Structure formats: structure tokens, C-alpha cells
Amino acid sequence: MEIHIKGLTRDYYSEGKRIRALDNVDLEIPANRIFTLLGPSGCGKTTLLRCIVGLESPDAGEIAIGGEIVWSKEKGIFVPPEKRGLGMVFQTYAIWPHMNVFNNVAFPLQSRNISKDEIRKSVAKALSFVQLDGFEKRPATKLSGGQQQRVALARALVAEPKVILFDEPLSNLDAKLREETRKELRSFLTKLQITAVYVTHDRIEALALSDLIAVMRSGGIVEVGDPKKIYFNSDDRFVADFIGRANLIKGKVSVLEGSHAVIDTGIGPIIGLNSHDIPVGTEAMLCVRPEFINLAATDEAGKRNTFLGKMETLIFIGEAYEGEIRIGDTLLTTTIPPTVNIVEGDDIYISFDSDHCFLLGV
Ligand code: ATP
């Protein structure tokens, strides 16, 4: 089910000061997709999620789930959380340690007028979905972190919600388990064909898991797009920088060439994608991700987008080198294959692929 959010504003007050946690947010969350709210700490992700759930009352705006208005300040509508048809998975899983797996998963059904037999069937279905068949009697404390996360998911699913919401559900897992669990979660959610709203400040998690990402900053939505669009060709400098490591090189647009443009920078003219139609004469930035700075052979010297630099620092991190290349006053961060024979201080030619660097407004 889709979610429509219009003009949502939420203020908090602390020590006599107003904190605008959400600032007139408009957002369309499409049905049956994994939709992630991504942004730095304090940007308003959790507040937005809690407003959708009904745990927060916004100061202005409207929220509709599947066409039904569940909150409207103007129309005086407030549908309580338990009537919104939502499932929720929290950061701490909120698994009750004194209960076994069955009782944890059955919990949302206990207060409803449902027969014991139906509850048993629903719990078995939810546990089977998360591949924990047969774990009913296991005490919640005798589960691994990943299994606890799956119990939390089963509990969120047991009442067959229309929408499932996640607030940083993987942040308590160690790095390796987090990677496995997010893969598993994506596969579960894709199979379920359910609307999922997922909050994280972890860009890799957002890229790996989402169909769509909304990047937030200071209580507002800056950009919404699929992971590749946001990573390869973002509309916004803050987003480009937040979603991955980025070299941002300042300059002025000098020539337009179809979908591309030349930008005159401190290291020379560079041609890149100009999806935002930045006109000639405008100050702009060229965004190049470290993995798209290619090493070039000496005989490519003088070619377009090719420059001579000096390898200033080089750090071996196993799967690659992370390096910094200096060209005049500009220091570029690069990722270099570990097989390349290079040391700090070497002169090195690099080139930018014009389809994998893009212009942004300043
Ligand atoms: P994080 O990733 O750190 O959880 P977030 O993006 O989820 O951050 P929110 O928790 O939504 O951010 O907070 C948004 C802003 O509102 C922050 O400035 C926060 O300090 C403030 N805030 C949140 N809850 C309250 C509260 N109960 N009282 C006062 N200020 C609050």
C-alpha cells in the first residue's frame, strides 16, 4: 500500500528552544517497494517513521496510507497506531527475554479476538517465512543476534500488515552478520511484496537493500531516487557526498556537448555528464567517485580527461589500495586495484570516464 505525506511538520521544544525535526515534508512512498529514509544523525528519519506509525503527532500536515487519511491536523483525523495496519521492527528488536519464540511472535495477536488455533497457524506461517520453523519453544535469549532479528521480523509480519517499518534494525549486529542479514532481509521483503519503510544512516545498507532511497537533511527530503541514480548521478551536492566517497572539483562550465559539458577546473578542462543542464559560464562542481578515476598509460598523455599527478599516499586495504593523487592544489581520492605496481611518490597518469563523472550545481 502506498503512503502519501503532505506538508508534515513536527517541532520539539528543548530548554526553551524550538527544534524543527520535520519541516513541511512532502513524500510519496510507492506500494510494495523497499523505501529507505537515509540521512545523518538528527535529520528527522525516526521522527518521520514515528509519525507514519502514529507514535508522534505532527504539528501540521497529512498522512494517508493506502488512500485512507490516518493523520490530518486540518481535518482533525487521528487513526491510532494499532488501527493503521502496520508492522514495526525496532533497532533493539524489542524481543522479550522472558518469553519463548512462540510467545514473542504471537504477542501482537494476543490482544485480538482470535482463536488459539488461528494464532498457532499464523505464528507457524510467520516463523516459516523467516526460516525459523521448529523454534517455537526456544527461549528468546538462546538465539543468535541474526535469529533474534528474524523473530522481530516474524512478529512484525504475524498480523499480516499492509506496511512494515524498520528503524535501524541491523545496527546492533556485527559487520559480517549485518551484511548477511541485510541480504536475507531484502530477499524476504522482495518475496513478500509488501511496502517497507526502512530508516538507516548507513549508506551501504541503503544502497544494498532499497528499491528507492529518500535522502534527508535537517528535517527535509533532499532527493528521492533508486540507488544507482543517487550514487551515479545525484541531483544534489550534499546527497552525492553523503551516499559515497566523492571528489568534488570546482570549476566553471565552458562548453556544452549534448548530454555532456566541459568544466574548466584547477587541473584543466574535464568533460562529464551534465544531466542538470548547467549552462555555460556557471560555477559548478564535477563529482568523481574514487573507483572511477582510472589509471592511464603514459602514451595517453595529452588526451582528453587525462592528467599527470603524483601518488601522495597509498594505503593497502586488502581488496584495493586507497590512494590520494595530487595534481597541483587538488588532492583526489582514488581506489586502485591491489595488483597495480605503484608506490608513494610515483608520477601517475589518470583519466576520468566522461560517463562516470557528473556536474552538480554549487
Ligand atoms: P538518528 O539517526 O540519530 O536516530 P534521526 O535522523 O532519526 O537521528 P530524529 O530522532 O528524528 O533524527 O530527530 C530529529 C531532531 O529532533 C533531532 O535534532 C533531535 O535531537 C530532535 N528530537 C527528537 N526527539 C526529540 C524529543 N523527544 N525532544 C526534543 N528533541 C527531539
Side-chain angles (χ1 to χ4, degrees):
M1 263 184 192
E2 74 284 1
I3 302 174
H4 296 278
I5 293 169
K6 230 171 37 192
L8 210 66
T9 296
R10 173 69 166 119
D11 290 333
Y12 293 111
Y13 291 88
S14 177
E15 293 158 29
K17 273 203 210 135
R18 188 187 71 181
I19 300 158
R20 180 142 288 187
L22 294 176
D23 189 6
N24 202 15
V25 169
D26 291 329
L27 190 61
E28 303 282 314
I29 300 178
N32 304 342
R33 314 297 295 277
I34 307 171
F35 190 98
T36 294
L37 301 172
L38 171 73
S41 180
C43 71
K45 309 175 293 289
T46 298
T47 304
L48 182 51
L49 197 78
R50 287 171 59 83
C51 288
I52 297 172
V53 179
L55 298 172
E56 291 282 342
S57 289
D59 295 293
E62 192 168 289
I63 303 171
I65 301 175
E68 185 201 350
I69 298 176
V70 295
W71 166 265
S72 168
K73 181 83 177 172
E74 216 179 32
K75 295 174 188 148
I77 299 174
F78 173 67
V79 176
E82 66 279 8
K83 299 249 163 72
R84 293 192 183 188
L86 311 171
M88 177 110 194
V89 181
F90 296 93
Q91 187 170 9
T92 51
Y93 321 142
I95 293 285
W96 290 286
H98 58 285
M99 287 186 192
N100 64 17
V101 168
F102 179 91
N103 287 327
N104 263 289
V105 176
F107 190 81
L109 303 178
Q110 303 289 15
S111 56
R112 301 181 188 199
N113 196 14
I114 305 173
S115 73
K116 281 204 166 138
D117 197 40
E118 265 180 86
I119 292 181
R120 240 189 321 271
K121 275 191 201 145
S122 298
V123 171
K125 188 172 162 199
L127 282 178
S128 163
F129 188 78
V130 300
Q131 292 163 12
L132 284 178
D133 317 68
F135 277 68
E136 282 85 345
K137 293 201 174 121
R138 179 83 67 98
T141 45
K142 299 250 161 78
L143 294 170
S144 69
Q147 286 168 335
Q148 286 186 33
Q149 204 275 340
R150 282 195 261 159
V151 169
L153 180 60
R155 188 178 52 198
L157 293 175
V158 76
E160 306 203 348
K162 299 176 276 189
V163 176
I164 183 160
L165 302 112
F166 297 87
D167 192 1
E168 308 241 10
L170 308 184
S171 50
N172 287 336
L173 305 179
D174 68 46
K176 196 158 187 292
L177 190 57
R178 199 160 57 223
E179 236 174 79
E180 278 167 27
T181 314
R182 76 170 176 241
K183 229 188 284 167
E184 198 176 79
L185 193 59
R186 176 157 176 90
S187 127
F188 286 150
L189 293 175
T190 310
K191 243 192 278 167
L192 268 177
Q193 282 290 302
I194 192 170
T195 308
V197 186
Y198 192 97
V199 161
T200 184
H201 63 268
D202 181 332
R203 62 187 186 83
I204 308 246
E205 201 165 294
L207 289 168
L209 197 72
S210 318
D211 294 316
L212 282 170
I213 299 173
V215 181
M216 292 186 71
R217 181 191 195 185
S218 310
I221 307 284
V222 189
E223 184 173 355
V224 180
D226 66 58
K228 284 195 176 158
K229 158 76 174 77
I230 298 252
Y231 189 81
F232 287 128
N233 198 6
S234 162
D235 297 336
D236 182 271
R237 181 185 164 180
F238 166 79
V239 174
D241 207 19
F242 187 76
I243 198 74
R245 293 188 305 147
N247 294 290
L248 296 166
I249 310 169
K250 266 195 218 157
K252 195 182 253 184
V253 179
S254 59
V255 184
L256 300 182
E257 292 188 21
S259 56
H260 292 68
V262 177
I263 177 168
D264 290 338
T265 73
I267 65 173
I270 306 173
I271 180 163
L273 279 174
N274 186 23
S275 316
H276 312 305
D277 296 326
I278 301 175
V280 167
T282 313
E283 304 270 346
M285 293 259 180
L286 185 86
C287 177
V288 195
R289 304 238 173 255
E291 64 273 28
F292 292 122
I293 294 182
N294 304 313
L295 302 189
T298 315
D299 60 6
E300 288 179 66
K303 280 194 180 162
R304 222 174 182 195
N305 277 12
T306 301
F307 302 92
L308 176 63
K310 195 173 271 300
M311 199 78 234
E312 194 159 292
T313 60
L314 200 59
I315 296 168
F316 179 62
I317 56 156
E319 73 247 33
Y321 285 111
E322 279 180 357
E324 285 175 316
I325 294 172
R326 177 166 296 283
I327 307 172
D329 291 338
T330 304
L331 196 61
L332 299 168
T333 304
T334 62
T335 300
I336 297 171
T339 46
V340 172
N341 196 8
I342 192 165
V343 292
E344 284 175 2
D346 279 357
D347 284 334
I348 183 168
Y349 281 98
I350 58 158
S351 70
F352 303 119
D353 174 348
S354 61
D355 288 331
H356 286 108
C357 52
F358 57 96
L359 273 68
L360 285 167
V362 285

